[in-house]
Amino acid sequence: MKKSYFLLACACALITGCKHTSSSPEIRLNQVGFRPLQEKTATIDVCTADAAPCSVAILSASGDTVWTGMASATMINPLSGKPRQLVDFSTLNTPGTYTIHLTPSTATQSLIISPRPYRELTRQALRAFYYQRTAMPIDEPYAEGYPRPAGHPDTLVLVHASAATQERPENTIIASSGGWYDAGDYNKYVVNSGYTMGVFLMAYEQQRAYYDTLHLNIPESTLPVPDMLAEAMYNIRWMMTMQDTDGGAYHKLTEPDFEGFIHPTECQKPRYVVLKTTPATLDLAATLALAARIYAPYEHVYPGFVAEATEAAKRAYQWAKANPAIYYDQPAMNEQFTPAITTGAYDDYDAQDEFYWAATELYLLTNDPTYRDEALGYCPEQFTPATWGNVAELASLEWMLHPAGAEAFAQERQTALLAHLQPYIEEAETTSVHRSPYGNRAEEFFWGCNSEGCCWRGIECLYAYQLTGNERYRINAERCLNHVLGQNATGYCFVTGFGTHSPKQPHHRLSHIYPNGPLPGFLIGGPNRERQDDGIDGVKYPKNVSADESYLDFRPSYATNEVTINWNVTLFALTAGLDAQQ
């Protein structure tokens, strides 16, 4: 939310409900599949005592040997110190299901080559948002095996004391229905939702033709609008309810403290809208300005939306300019107001990046040079990858794609992006034991690293490929996806319901209610060297576990095993960006 693989048997015994795995898999690779002409590699454990290269054979479903070769010389994982070898079987291009065999080891692993290995993965990663919908039942045939009643109608939401105004005093009742549950909990957060919608709609704009043909099987599938945009509108409409009458946006809609792992219909705690903040208001402004531009061709489906969203975005931006430094400090707020709020903070104490993004989107919508000049003035000097707490790169990517009126500036941003990617790509091609531009440094394993680190780096590579046409960037985007789908130190495919070894116990209240396993298509946060949950609710990591193995497939592990909307948006943007090229 805001946030190893291998569990020793003794550690597993200490954790109630842990799914024991006897050892880490000896062959780690993308478990979902490779395209025929894609680079194809796997990382393997050293087979022999003298660390000589392993012999590798790949067999077809009928048992015929279709490829043989030798692994690379032994490499040392710099994080764990474990010896690893790489095998490159890129010359095997025929679609099919195969089995990799190692000699002298007896280890085997299935291998899939398919013309479109990421189509269904993209579809399910997008359908994950449908499963997160609040205030409506998830019914068949749209539930596809995971029905549930409606949860949290949010028609009787209280204005928290921190958000009270003369027009809306404390405990005023407002309606703020719809939208998506943010993560494994049952709350809704404007800051994270704004970032998510930014990546969501920017992904659509880059691959319109692809998404226009992607059928999600949602209730709105009969509308003359792409399913993806219909799903996004469900959340955008909720975000608009979070704007106060003065233009400011409430930071979040939440119960005072997290509900337990119970069905959403069983939740009884009151719900509040809490404190209007500058970052939340600017995220709302940017989201609505972007949405007004993207949905313009669908005015016949959503009459009046473009004008409404445009006006709301302008009002939000003006409120933020009049209130440029109101930040969400939950401990300080709780000292002043009751009830105390202890749910996810999404605290952000610098709004320069949000001003940059909001002004950029307003310029692209209105072509008003005032917004352009303000946006360029807000651009941070230092290049930083995009996260919910730092959205500057979203604005920079928009300038790279829509440079009119600031061509030299857009070129400078592109140069910064390519310089940022260069050292990671060099690592993938020289020293990485997983042939990946991500996951080679301990600091890269943090809360939500699978998304905010690995998938986002893959998306950056896709943008670089689009801007330059250099195949090197596309290849490294695929390598990032390989990492998430199994070619990593844990051997997990970190998407629920996919691969041969995926998480079964995510920190996700909605998944918990189904006896047939977790909801499919959700990206798990992944290894986290800080292990903020260690020792809480039975969470116990093995001693001296390396950063890239600091993961538990254990429901209470919120620091490694949660799901969130902002993580899933990067998953489908990466998979779709690669699949669309087919």
Side-chain angles (χ1 to χ4, degrees):
M1 173 171 40
K2 353 307 148 202
K3 343 209 167 280
S4 296
Y5 149 61
F6 85 96
L7 269 179
L8 300 178
C10 57
C12 197
L14 294 174
I15 305 179
T16 303
C18 172
K19 299 285 188 179
H20 175 64
T21 52
S22 59
S23 65
S24 56
E26 295 175 74
I27 306 173
R28 301 168 185 82
L29 81 169
N30 177 337
Q31 298 167 23
V32 173
F34 297 91
R35 295 183 297 105
L37 298 181
Q38 178 179 345
E39 175 189 77
K40 308 174 192 73
T41 65
T43 300
I44 62 178
D45 289 2
V46 173
C47 300
T48 61
D50 61 0
C54 298
S55 176
V56 184
I58 300 179
L59 278 60
S60 68
S62 61
D64 296 328
T65 300
V66 297
W67 187 94
T68 60
M70 302 297 293
S72 71
T74 296
M75 309 166 69
I76 300 300
N77 183 329
L79 305 185
S80 65
K82 295 177 180 178
R84 297 288 181 254
Q85 295 175 355
L86 276 167
V87 56
D88 188 327
F89 46 94
S90 300
T91 56
L92 178 59
N93 296 324
T94 304
T97 300
Y98 303 92
T99 304
I100 302 177
H101 292 257
L102 301 184
T103 303
S105 167
T106 59
T108 63
Q109 173 66 44
S110 62
L111 160 68
I112 298 171
I113 299 176
S114 166
R116 302 294 295 275
Y118 308 134
R119 181 74 168 184
E120 183 60 19
L121 176 59
T122 303
R123 178 180 178 273
Q124 291 291 357
L126 268 165
R127 276 184 51 79
F129 293 90
Y130 170 66
Y131 289 130
Q132 291 290 100
R133 287 193 191 188
T134 71
M136 70 172 293
I138 305 301
D139 290 331
E140 299 293 2
Y142 313 109
E144 297 188 0
Y146 296 91
R148 64 171 171 83
H152 296 93
D154 286 336
T155 54
L156 301 173
V157 178
L158 301 173
V159 174
H160 189 258
S162 62
T165 63
Q166 185 173 358
E167 188 169 349
R168 289 181 174 178
E170 180 181 0
N171 291 328
T172 296
I173 296 175
I174 67 170
S176 187
S177 190
W180 302 320
Y181 292 122
D182 177 76
D185 59 293
Y186 291 137
N187 302 312
K188 299 183 284 190
Y189 306 80
V190 170
V191 169
N192 200 43
S193 197
Y195 165 82
T196 300
M197 298 315 305
V199 179
F200 201 109
L201 296 179
M202 288 170 65
Y204 174 78
E205 186 173 35
Q206 296 314 301
Q207 305 291 351
R208 287 176 185 264
Y210 175 88
Y211 288 117
D212 286 353
T213 64
L214 191 64
H215 182 69
L216 300 181
N217 187 32
I218 58 177
E220 298 83 358
S221 290
T222 57
L223 295 176
V225 64
D227 282 4
M228 177 183 179
L229 293 187
E231 185 59 56
M233 183 60 79
Y234 193 79
N235 195 59
I236 292 168
R237 291 292 195 190
W238 165 71
M239 291 184 70
M240 296 176 79
T241 71
M242 292 292 283
Q243 186 172 37
D244 197 0
T245 56
D246 61 1
Y250 302 115
H251 194 76
K252 60 179 174 177
L253 191 161
T254 181
E255 60 261 4
D257 55 337
F258 290 117
E259 295 276 8
F261 271 74
I262 59 177
H263 197 287
T265 58
E266 299 172 347
C267 297
Q268 300 294 325
K269 295 178 180 179
R271 307 267 280 180
Y272 293 89
V273 288
V274 180
L275 189 66
K276 290 175 290 188
T277 66
T278 308
T281 302
L282 288 167
D283 284 331
L284 178 68
T287 296
L288 295 183
L290 173 58
R293 182 161 54 84
I294 297 298
Y295 285 86
Y298 301 101
E299 181 70 15
H300 61 293
V301 183
Y302 305 109
F305 171 75
V306 171
E308 184 183 359
T310 299
E311 178 59 26
K314 290 179 178 179
R315 289 175 55 242
Y317 188 73
Q318 290 305 315
W319 185 93
K321 290 183 69 176
N323 302 273
I326 299 181
Y327 302 122
Y328 191 76
D329 184 337
Q330 193 156 274
M333 184 186 73
N334 287 338
E335 290 180 358
Q336 187 175 358
F337 303 107
T338 57
I341 305 295
T342 60
T343 53
Y346 284 108
D347 45 350
D348 180 1
Y349 300 99
D350 183 353
Q352 180 179 349
D353 55 304
E354 284 87 3
F355 272 111
Y356 176 36
W357 183 34
T360 294
E361 296 295 357
L362 281 163
Y363 171 65
L364 295 179
L365 173 65
T366 67
N367 206 34
D368 183 339
T370 300
Y371 291 123
R372 177 197 62 202
D373 296 343
E374 291 185 0
L376 302 190
Y378 284 123
C379 177
E381 293 184 8
Q382 184 176 0
F383 181 92
T384 51
T387 66
W388 66 262
N390 191 333
V391 294
E393 191 180 11
L394 298 186
S396 292
L397 290 171
E398 291 283 53
W399 284 108
M400 294 178 213
L401 298 170
H402 309 285
E407 288 80 0
F409 173 77
Q411 185 59 51
E412 290 175 0
R413 294 294 88 200
Q414 179 176 324
T415 299
L417 170 64
L418 301 184
H420 157 70
L421 291 174
Q422 183 63 25
Y424 305 116
I425 292 175
E426 290 178 354
E427 286 178 349
E429 296 173 348
T430 57
T431 61
S432 173
V433 299
H434 299 114
R435 189 62 67 82
S436 172
Y438 191 83
N440 305 305
R441 312 173 186 202
E443 62 267 23
E444 292 180 328
F445 294 94
F446 51 85
W447 201 326
C449 66
N450 278 338
S451 168
E452 295 183 359
C454 191
C455 282
W456 184 254
R457 187 160 297 162
I459 292 170
E460 289 176 325
C461 288
L462 284 179
Y463 275 104
Y465 174 59
Q466 179 177 351
L467 292 164
T468 68
N470 188 332
E471 284 284 317
R472 189 185 190 200
Y473 295 114
R474 181 190 57 77
I475 291 170
N476 278 281
E478 291 175 333
R479 289 167 172 169
C480 285
L481 186 57
N482 291 342
H483 183 93
V484 168
L485 299 183
Q487 194 173 1
N488 58 64
T490 72
Y492 270 93
C493 171
F494 282 112
V495 182
T496 57
F498 283 82
T500 56
H501 186 53
S502 63
K504 300 298 189 293
Q505 301 186 69
H507 185 84
H508 184 211
R509 286 161 176 78
L510 291 178
S511 283
H512 174 62
I513 69 179
Y514 297 102
N516 52 330
L519 287 161
F522 282 86
L523 178 67
I524 298 297
N528 179 357
R529 71 189 189 283
E530 296 182 354
R531 307 164 205 153
Q532 292 92 336
D533 51 8
D534 198 8
I536 300 174
D537 292 335
V539 174
K540 184 177 179 61
Y541 297 87
K543 293 182 179 179
N544 302 317
V545 66
S546 60
D548 56 351
E549 294 180 352
S550 294
Y551 169 71
L552 297 175
D553 182 17
F554 178 46
R555 194 186 75 195
S557 181
Y558 55 82
T560 70
N561 212 32
E562 193 170 11
V563 303
T564 75
I565 57 173
N566 62 306
W567 297 347
N568 252 66
V569 78
T570 63
L571 173 65
F572 85 71
L574 177 56
T575 61
L578 291 169
D579 191 43
Q581 296 169 37
Q582 296 303 105

